[in-house]
Amino acid sequence: MNASIVTGSCFCGAVRFEIELPTLFCGHCHCSMCRRPHGAAFVTWTAVPPERFRITAGEDDLVRFQSSAQGTRSFCRTCGSQMFCQTEPEVIDVALAALHGPIDRVPGAHWYYDSRAPWTVVSDDLPKLGGASGMEPL
Ligand SMILES: [Zn+2]
Ligand SMILES: [Zn+2]
């Protein structure tokens, strides 16, 4: 297999996909729109442009819903795994936890840190960003 391909899937395996490295970024998002659907303290995202992203199985099992004015999120209709978020045409956010292997970088920042759940304790030294865009220095 091509070393720059990383495969991924939902929990039940119905939806399978692959991305091709390099990725565009990687970081932890603390916004409530990520926390609620994923049922998590925060969501670690990476991203690739559409030409480096392919659904390889279960396209019909993937449910896309409009989660904001500009954004869609996608999940498996059987197991509910949230996998993708797209807010601009050229960037597909991929939940790092859905990938089966390592990518080309480690998480680089906390986004929307000022929106974090009050019970979330972060003890790393990564930049903690927030404000209106979620990516401004706090
Ligand atoms: Zn599934
Ligand atoms: Zn978010």
Side-chain angles (χ1 to χ4, degrees):
M1 181 185 272
N2 186 328
S4 68
I5 302 284
V6 182
T7 61
S9 72
C10 63
F11 175 54
C12 79
V15 178
R16 296 177 182 276
F17 66 96
E18 60 187 30
I19 64 169
E20 185 177 348
L21 306 181
T23 59
L24 299 172
F25 55 76
C26 184
H28 306 298
C29 187
H30 293 260
C31 84
S32 63
M33 290 178 59
C34 285
R35 288 190 279 117
R36 296 234 161 73
H38 288 255
F42 53 86
V43 179
T44 308
W45 294 106
T46 187
V48 288
E51 63 270 21
R52 298 208 291 269
F53 174 87
R54 279 175 296 280
I55 301 290
T56 53
E59 176 82 55
D60 293 344
D61 292 299
L62 192 64
V63 180
R64 290 180 178 81
F65 76 103
Q66 186 96 33
S67 53
S68 68
Q70 329 82 330
T72 63
R73 289 172 186 259
S74 310
F75 63 92
C76 170
R77 80 166 74 241
T78 299
C79 69
S81 300
Q82 294 274 343
M83 290 172 281
F84 316 120
C85 180
Q86 193 164 10
T87 54
E88 45 190 301
E90 292 310 309
V91 181
I92 298 177
D93 296 349
V94 176
L96 192 62
L99 290 167
H100 299 165
I103 61 169
D104 54 336
R105 69 185 79 226
V106 295
H110 293 273
W111 304 314
Y112 289 96
Y113 189 70
D114 46 350
S115 297
R116 71 189 180 281
W119 37 266
T120 296
V121 177
V122 171
S123 55
D124 63 38
D125 294 326
L126 296 176
K128 295 175 176 69
L129 310 177
S133 73
M135 298 184 184
E136 299 155 25
L138 291 174

